[in-house]
């Protein structure tokens, strides 16, 4: 799965721009994010540092999720 280490919320928005806004987002236990969907994640105004965004290899599949973890 492709991993991205964005340094800003703009970087996250760019990475997720081609995904369904309703796609689910899973976060690791140590990730302080509020957002359960791609749209909610992209609507944040700031991004905690040191995160990795993992995009599913086949986002068109209904079971696909974006994962956000600590680097």
């Amino acid at each position: 799965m492709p991993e991205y280490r964005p340094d800003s919320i703009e970087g996250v928005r760019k990475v997720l721009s081609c995904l369904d806004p309703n796609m689910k987002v899973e976060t690791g236990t140590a990730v302080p994010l509020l957002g359960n969907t791609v749209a909610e994640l992209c609507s944040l105004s700031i991004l905690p540092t040191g995160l990795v965004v993992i995009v599913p290899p086949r986002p068109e599949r209904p079971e696909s999720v974006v994962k956000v973890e600590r680097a």
Side-chain angles (χ1 to χ4, degrees), residues 1-70:
M1 289 207 241
E3 292 186 5
Y4 301 93
R5 296 174 190 265
D7 57 356
S8 67
I9 192 64
E10 289 80 19
V12 170
R13 290 179 186 137
K14 184 176 179 181
V15 167
L16 302 180
S17 65
C18 63
L19 299 178
D20 179 354
N22 296 313
M23 183 180 289
K24 292 188 180 213
V25 173
E26 292 180 355
T27 58
T29 56
V31 178
L33 284 180
L34 299 174
N36 297 320
T37 66
V38 167
E40 290 173 349
L41 185 58
C42 290
S43 71
L44 297 175
S45 57
I46 59 170
L47 181 72
T49 58
L51 297 181
V52 175
V53 177
I54 304 167
V55 178
R58 301 193 56 199
E60 69 280 356
R61 299 187 75 166
E63 68 274 9
S64 295
V65 296
V66 172
K67 295 182 181 181
V68 181
E69 300 175 352
R70 282 272 176 213

